[in-house]
Amino acid sequence: MTRKTISHTTQLLTALLLTILLLTSASLPKDRLKQDFANPPLSMKSRPLWFWNKPLSREQTLRVMKASKEAGYFGLGILPSYGMTPEYMTPEFLAQYKMAIEIADSLGMKMCLYDEFYFPSGMAGGNLVKKYPEALSKRLDMESKEVTGPKTFKQILPAGVNMGAVGMEKSSKKRIDLSAFASKGELTATLPAGNWEVMIFTLVPDSSSDRKHCDYLSPEAVGKFINLTYDKYYETFPEHFGTTIDIAFYDEPCLRWVDGARTWTGEFNNKFKAKYGYSPVLYYPSLWFDIGAETEAARNALLGFRAELYAAGFPKTINDWCSAHKIQLTGHVDQEEIVNPVATCGDLMKAFKYQDIPAVDEIFYYGRSSAIYKVISSSAYNYDRPIVATECYGAMGKMSEKILYQEAMDQFAKGINLMEPHAVWYTDAVDIAPELSPEGKKFGPMLPAYNEYIGRLQTLLQGGSHIADIGILYPIASLQGSYYFGPGDPGMGGIIPGEADYQDIGEMLSLNIRRDFTYIHPEILDEKCTLKGSEIQLMNKINQENFKIMIIPGSRTIQLSNLQKIKKFYDQGGKVIATSMLPDHAAEVNKGREDNGEEVRRIIKEMFGADAFDTPGLTGVTASSSWNTGGFIPAYAIDGKKETSWKPSQGNYKGDWIVIRLGKERKDLRIKITNADEKPFTCSVVWRKALGQEKAVRDNIVIAGAKGIKSETIIKSEMIEPYQEILICQDSGALNKMNIAEIEILDTQDRNILQDLKTYTMHSNSKGGKAWFIPAPNPVVLKKVLDDTGISWDVRFENEVPVSGGSLSYIHKQLNDTNIWFFANSSDNTIDTPVTLKGNRKIQVWNPYTGMISDGETTLETLNGQQYTRIRLKLDPVKSVFLVDEL
């Protein structure tokens, strides 16, 4: 049977109905909300994945499902796995699956339709390659040859689909589209004078991977995957779709499964031209090379379009099928925690643009994906999705009860609100610990109380509007502009540009300064955000937010349309903060003018000052790259803390560098370098006035490894002339990768001069608009700037509250006219600190462990005409609490 289709109107009505159903908790009468918090209904509790990893039988299926309900699980997501019989997608397997669905229906449980055999999704358990080999993934290859012109050049075309040919003159970067000269398997073209690189681009089947998954960029190919999976289930038990089955789940699709992450598709050129009105071929060289001033814009055009093709090709195609069959879609990509998502899903926020329920995978160890939670929950806020799911605890083999709760509270405090534990097992044979089966010896007895806790969290935190004062521009334009095929490990995002600090800025706000925020996607800033005085308003139907501060994280490239709107916000009195690097390139292709960054630089100077790109007396730091999952930005090498460090990206083992800018010319200095690792590394030190003006080099300096204590190496300048930059470069053949805990620049009195230099600039206008630039951001400096904004904060911790072993964080949501704050202390510390909530509030304390509700002891304060409610927050280690406006 072919896939069902229904009218666009019917799809919209179905999607609306499903949204209403998911927002049930947000629409409950006030007394019902209290009742459901006191005694969470089964429908608000967690729903784990269920590995079918042994021979199936009715007796065992019934036993596990009954025990799961008794443990508080609302439903299960069947994950066919190795060791299962009968064979995947055979009539016998589908009969066993139908039986499980019928048991769930009889027990009042819901089932999640996991769409693959094991993972990643898109293979149909090996059936796709057998039945629809034409639907498999494709790869873009490039073959190049140097040619000196003038000359008539001939080259046999490689096997595959020719996607175009380009000649680029090496010195001028002039490019010529040679595609029209390809005919009958040969390229014949006459090149003018110059040294040319001739590139032929070919689409080929990807044979490097054993996964044999579908072409994620092609709706037609994804449709064939659906035909072998979703359609088969619907044919077998259609009556359970939209009733017993309410959600489908995809798992770990990824562009990097193709060799070199060069995932491409045959209709790329035609679809690109249909959307933009011109051929993309002249920009293809930017995927491998620097093509001059247009490089960043070219990469944004190509890689941005690929990201759109992925979002519309895989999740949207499946989501449309789900909507037509009265269920919703959730699922997550592979490697979502990587700073640069271009090689994994193209654009992590946009990957969920067409998906009902965005999701994250938290796997291996506690806190691994902490920095990415806010990106994924922000995607839900941007695209107005009320539910955000987590597949949690997978492969955390030595997990404790403490981590069981730490993970839940940390994620829910960052906007996750649907728990999908990993995992229940068909028998006591567990392939991937931990075992969260109801009869498991370790966690089984904990599950009823745990699911009561999860039920209360989900009751109060699903749906509604997120409240935050700060918006952070999601820097996908800069990430796309810096990415090209070749260097680094695509599975780790390739080479991460040193200025890419957005995840670290987010963690500083969430876990150090404790000011909540939302990442804003560039297209959302353009299309859904309006300016009202000195605020940026996100105008969604459900999630509406008002931002008083806009942060531009470290970026080299920015959408000009975004920058123009931020400038207007500043002109109307808005507060803008930029970190690490100010953008000087536009992401938009500006055909007919090579320098796309001229207007960007002009606007930046109007906001941040005429000397924004070269401020006297301002310290700064840049680097070749940063660690692929964040947490090691260049600024940490000069923040005065040995506990933080800079580390270059994985997969690029030589030639990495870090540059310290001294703000003005200096001399007679020494450098103290502290290694953060036990492994030594070798480096060169260059003293220079500016880029390309080296005056002295110290080669092959061995920075000894730390053993028990941090190892320190001091290097003295031999320069006679003054200098204002110091470059430290990893030598070829280095002993090990750099990991620098601290760089100190010492004068003749052994004082670190970096402590005396300016750490940020501030520029203002007559309307009250202010723009700060922090070239070396850290929590102390960022908090100082935030305090200087004069903003009346929605939530404020009155004291510094250092914690260890976990986090202290919060989220504020509004469900109809009810304000709810969730405070989570996952740390080992006891918390006792005053917290102020903006407005005159009558607070109740809701205990998520017992369901008890008590009146909060508060005082009302007024500051600068603004009323605040002050309450003392007291939390034991690994405990959380709700504060609720009295209902």
Side-chain angles (χ1 to χ4, degrees):
M1 186 176 76
T2 60
R3 286 189 298 124
K4 278 199 167 185
T5 58
I6 60 175
S7 70
H8 179 62
T9 301
T10 304
Q11 289 188 36
L12 291 175
L13 290 173
T14 301
L16 178 61
L17 175 61
L18 289 166
T19 298
I20 292 171
L21 290 172
L22 276 171
L23 285 174
T24 299
S25 63
S27 307
L28 288 174
K30 292 181 178 180
D31 56 346
R32 175 70 181 278
L33 192 63
K34 286 186 175 181
Q35 292 172 15
D36 283 356
F37 184 79
N39 296 291
L42 186 65
S43 61
M44 295 311 297
K45 297 180 181 179
S46 70
R47 40 194 310 168
L49 293 176
W50 180 18
F51 278 75
W52 276 13
N53 62 327
K54 290 293 178 182
L56 305 177
S57 70
R58 176 179 175 79
E59 293 74 20
Q60 182 64 12
T61 296
L62 178 62
R63 176 179 175 177
V64 173
M65 296 185 76
K66 281 186 173 180
S68 293
K69 181 177 180 180
E70 291 174 2
Y73 286 141
F74 174 44
L76 297 161
I78 297 170
L79 199 165
S81 184
Y82 296 100
M84 178 190 74
T85 57
E87 187 177 346
Y88 178 67
M89 279 298 163
T90 60
E92 294 79 11
F93 164 80
L94 291 170
Q96 289 285 336
Y97 205 114
K98 181 178 182 180
M99 180 182 63
I101 300 297
E102 291 172 345
I103 291 172
D105 183 42
S106 69
L107 294 173
M109 300 173 73
K110 298 291 184 182
M111 297 297 285
C112 173
L113 185 71
Y114 188 92
D115 69 5
E116 186 53 83
F117 177 87
Y118 217 60
F119 39 82
S121 291
M123 304 178 295
N127 292 323
L128 187 74
V129 67
K130 296 175 183 177
K131 186 168 184 179
Y132 300 118
E134 73 279 5
L136 296 180
S137 58
K138 311 297 190 296
R139 185 183 76 235
L140 184 66
D141 284 354
M142 185 271 294
E143 182 179 292
S144 67
K145 187 172 184 178
E146 295 182 1
V147 180
T148 301
K151 183 177 181 180
T152 297
F153 170 78
K154 292 187 177 183
Q155 178 70 32
I156 300 297
L157 295 176
V161 178
N162 180 250
M163 299 298 288
V166 176
M168 183 171 71
E169 205 285 314
K170 291 185 178 182
S171 58
S172 66
K173 306 294 186 184
K174 177 183 177 180
R175 283 162 287 125
I176 302 173
D177 188 345
L178 304 175
S179 304
F181 302 103
S183 177
K184 297 181 180 180
E186 185 176 72
L187 174 67
T188 304
T190 300
L191 296 170
N195 295 315
W196 295 85
E197 189 89 29
V198 177
M199 293 158 275
I200 300 173
F201 303 96
T202 309
L203 187 76
V204 300
D206 183 61
S207 58
S208 63
S209 172
D210 60 357
R211 291 178 173 83
K212 308 301 182 188
H213 60 76
C214 65
D215 178 354
Y216 294 136
L217 309 184
S218 167
E220 293 75 21
V222 176
K224 292 177 178 179
F225 163 68
I226 289 173
N227 176 255
L228 296 173
T229 52
Y230 290 84
D231 283 343
K232 299 297 183 186
Y233 287 119
Y234 189 76
E235 290 172 6
T236 306
F237 33 83
E239 69 277 12
H240 289 287
F241 278 76
T243 54
T244 314
I245 300 171
D246 62 344
I247 294 176
F249 186 106
Y250 70 78
D251 204 5
E252 297 190 353
C254 192
L255 303 180
R256 63 110 173 189
W257 297 136
V258 167
D259 187 28
R262 301 195 307 275
T263 298
W264 219 250
T265 193
E267 284 299 302
F268 189 97
N269 291 0
N270 291 336
K271 289 183 176 181
F272 186 98
K273 188 172 183 179
K275 181 172 182 177
Y276 296 110
Y278 62 91
S279 168
V281 171
L282 270 179
Y283 294 118
Y284 271 37
S286 70
L287 296 173
W288 278 268
F289 303 110
D290 182 338
I291 65 170
E294 291 184 291
T295 301
E296 287 76 17
R299 291 172 180 168
N300 266 277
L302 296 173
L303 297 171
F305 189 64
R306 184 176 75 157
E308 177 64 33
L309 289 180
Y310 169 78
F314 188 74
K316 183 179 187 299
T317 303
I318 298 176
N319 204 95
D320 287 348
W321 187 96
C322 290
S323 295
H325 295 79
K326 301 179 182 180
I327 63 175
Q328 291 207 312
L329 178 67
T330 190
H332 64 85
V333 302
D334 183 61
Q335 296 289 87
E336 60 264 88
E337 70 277 2
I338 302 302
V339 170
N340 194 340
V342 170
T344 55
C345 62
D347 175 337
L348 184 58
M349 290 189 73
K350 184 177 280 190
F352 300 115
K353 179 178 180 178
Y354 306 105
Q355 183 172 316
D356 293 319
I357 305 174
V360 67
D361 185 13
E362 172 63 327
I363 192 171
F364 295 132
Y365 55 85
Y366 167 59
R368 176 177 180 266
S369 299
S370 172
I372 213 65
Y373 300 152
K374 287 290 293 182
V375 175
I376 294 173
S377 64
S378 292
S379 182
Y381 303 149
N382 277 232
Y383 296 113
D384 221 13
R385 308 287 188 253
I387 309 297
V388 191
T390 175
E391 177 190 344
C392 191
Y393 310 116
M396 295 185 185
K398 296 182 179 180
M399 193 177 78
S400 62
E401 181 179 11
K402 175 182 175 182
I403 292 176
L404 189 70
Y405 283 90
Q406 281 181 306
E407 283 288 5
M409 65 179 69
D410 282 354
Q411 292 184 54
F412 277 73
K414 287 186 172 181
I416 310 298
N417 54 30
L418 177 62
M419 176 59 72
E420 298 174 332
H422 187 297
V424 170
W425 297 86
Y426 198 73
T427 69
D428 57 2
V430 178
D431 300 328
I432 306 173
E435 181 186 14
L436 297 176
S437 302
E439 295 180 346
K441 293 181 181 179
K442 182 174 181 180
F443 291 104
M446 306 175 191
L447 291 177
Y450 168 78
N451 276 312
E452 288 284 298
Y453 175 76
I454 293 298
R456 295 186 179 106
L457 267 56
Q458 295 187 170
T459 295
L460 293 191
L461 292 176
Q462 288 186 359
S465 289
H466 176 236
I467 310 296
D469 296 313
I470 301 170
I472 300 180
L473 181 65
Y474 182 56
I476 189 62
S478 195
L479 297 171
Q480 289 172 165
S482 69
Y483 187 86
Y484 59 101
F485 297 143
D489 177 359
M492 296 297 289
I495 301 301
I496 310 301
E499 69 273 10
D501 64 3
Y502 72 102
Q503 288 192 18
D504 291 88
I505 297 300
E507 290 293 82
M508 291 179 202
L509 290 171
S510 291
L511 307 182
N512 300 110
I513 306 169
R514 301 187 180 94
R515 302 267 194 273
D516 202 3
F517 66 93
T518 296
Y519 289 108
I520 305 175
H521 193 277
E523 72 175 19
I524 296 297
L525 182 59
D526 280 348
E527 298 170 8
K528 289 189 178 181
C529 289
T530 62
L531 302 182
K532 184 177 181 181
S534 59
E535 291 186 355
I536 295 177
Q537 297 184 325
L538 174 58
M539 302 300 292
N540 280 323
K541 290 182 180 179
I542 300 171
N543 186 69
Q544 299 183 7
E545 302 192 50
N546 298 307
F547 306 113
K548 301 173 182 64
I549 293 174
M550 174 59 67
I551 295 179
I552 304 174
S555 303
R556 191 180 181 202
T557 305
I558 193 170
Q559 288 281 356
L560 180 58
S561 56
N562 285 175
L563 186 59
Q564 289 167 336
K565 180 168 278 189
I566 294 171
K567 172 61 162 53
K568 188 175 180 181
F569 167 66
Y570 166 78
D571 289 341
Q572 295 178 187
K575 310 298 189 293
V576 181
I577 299 171
T579 59
S580 290
M581 179 180 285
L582 292 166
D584 60 0
H585 289 66
E588 293 91 337
V589 169
N590 189 356
K591 297 182 71 62
R593 191 177 76 189
E594 189 176 76
D595 187 1
N596 291 346
E598 180 181 343
E599 183 68 2
V600 170
R601 291 187 288 272
R602 183 190 67 79
I603 295 174
I604 288 293
K605 288 180 179 180
E606 288 186 6
M607 273 201 296
F608 294 93
D611 56 358
F613 293 104
D614 187 18
T615 304
L618 182 66
T619 187
V621 57
T622 56
S624 56
S625 65
S626 289
W627 190 244
N628 305 68
T629 53
F632 297 91
I633 57 175
Y636 289 152
I638 61 169
D639 65 353
K641 292 184 175 181
K642 301 292 176 68
E643 298 81 14
T644 59
S645 64
W646 166 71
K647 183 162 60 169
S649 65
Q650 178 175 330
N652 188 34
Y653 292 99
K654 58 187 179 182
D656 282 300
W657 50 264
I658 186 168
V659 171
I660 312 298
R661 299 189 301 274
L662 305 179
K664 63 181 180 180
E665 291 187 347
R666 302 275 184 165
K667 60 185 305 184
D668 297 327
L669 298 176
R670 294 173 299 145
I671 307 173
K672 180 190 287 187
I673 302 176
T674 303
N675 190 354
D677 281 345
E678 291 189 4
K679 301 175 182 179
F681 64 87
T682 64
C683 66
S684 299
V685 177
V686 179
W687 316 75
R688 66 191 188 189
K689 283 191 174 182
L691 179 63
Q693 299 181 30
E694 289 87 357
K695 293 296 181 180
V697 179
R698 295 290 299 271
D699 288 317
N700 298 318
I701 300 161
V702 177
I703 310 298
K707 292 185 178 179
I709 60 173
K710 301 301 180 186
S711 180
E712 299 174 345
T713 302
I714 296 179
I715 305 151
K716 188 179 186 303
S717 168
E718 296 177 352
M719 283 280 288
I720 298 174
E721 297 180 21
Y723 41 84
Q724 59 182 3
E725 290 186 351
I726 300 172
L727 179 147
I728 302 168
C729 182
Q730 172 99 347
D731 283 338
S732 176
L735 297 178
N736 269 296
K737 193 86 165 165
M738 286 192 287
N739 188 1
I740 297 177
E742 199 65 23
I743 299 172
E744 300 169 68
I745 312 298
L746 307 175
D747 64 13
T748 54
Q749 283 78 46
D750 277 345
R751 295 175 300 191
N752 183 7
I753 67 167
L754 297 179
Q755 304 303 314
D756 299 326
L757 297 176
K758 290 195 297 184
T759 53
Y760 61 89
T761 62
M762 193 277 286
H763 193 249
S764 61
N765 60 35
S766 60
K767 297 287 189 179
K770 294 183 178 180
W772 290 262
F773 174 45
I774 311 173
N778 62 61
V780 174
V781 176
L782 183 56
K783 184 178 185 304
K784 173 69 167 60
V785 168
L786 290 172
D787 289 344
D788 288 348
T789 63
I791 297 296
S792 300
W793 298 105
D794 178 60
V795 174
R796 183 171 65 89
F797 288 77
E798 291 189 7
N799 301 325
E800 298 290 336
V801 190
V803 296
S804 61
S807 305
L808 174 61
S809 53
Y810 78 94
I811 189 172
H812 177 191
K813 304 215 47 189
Q814 187 172 20
L815 300 177
N816 296 329
D817 58 349
T818 302
N819 283 277
I820 297 171
W821 296 264
F822 177 62
F823 289 90
N825 174 30
S826 62
S827 78
D828 297 328
N829 304 86
T830 298
I831 302 301
D832 186 354
T833 183
V835 174
T836 57
L837 311 176
K838 189 176 179 180
N840 185 353
R841 311 288 186 182
K842 199 169 183 181
I843 297 297
Q844 292 180 330
V845 179
W846 292 33
N847 187 323
Y849 303 92
T850 65
M852 299 295 294
I853 297 173
S854 60
D855 291 332
E857 297 181 6
T858 63
T859 58
L860 188 64
E861 301 176 354
T862 302
L863 180 63
N864 297 326
Q866 174 65 54
Q867 288 188 319
Y868 298 89
T869 300
R870 188 174 188 267
I871 189 168
R872 198 160 201 90
L873 181 67
K874 297 182 179 181
L875 287 171
D876 289 333
V878 195
K879 291 294 181 181
S880 56
V881 70
F882 284 100
L883 302 182
V884 182
D885 252 339
E886 184 176 322
L887 300 182

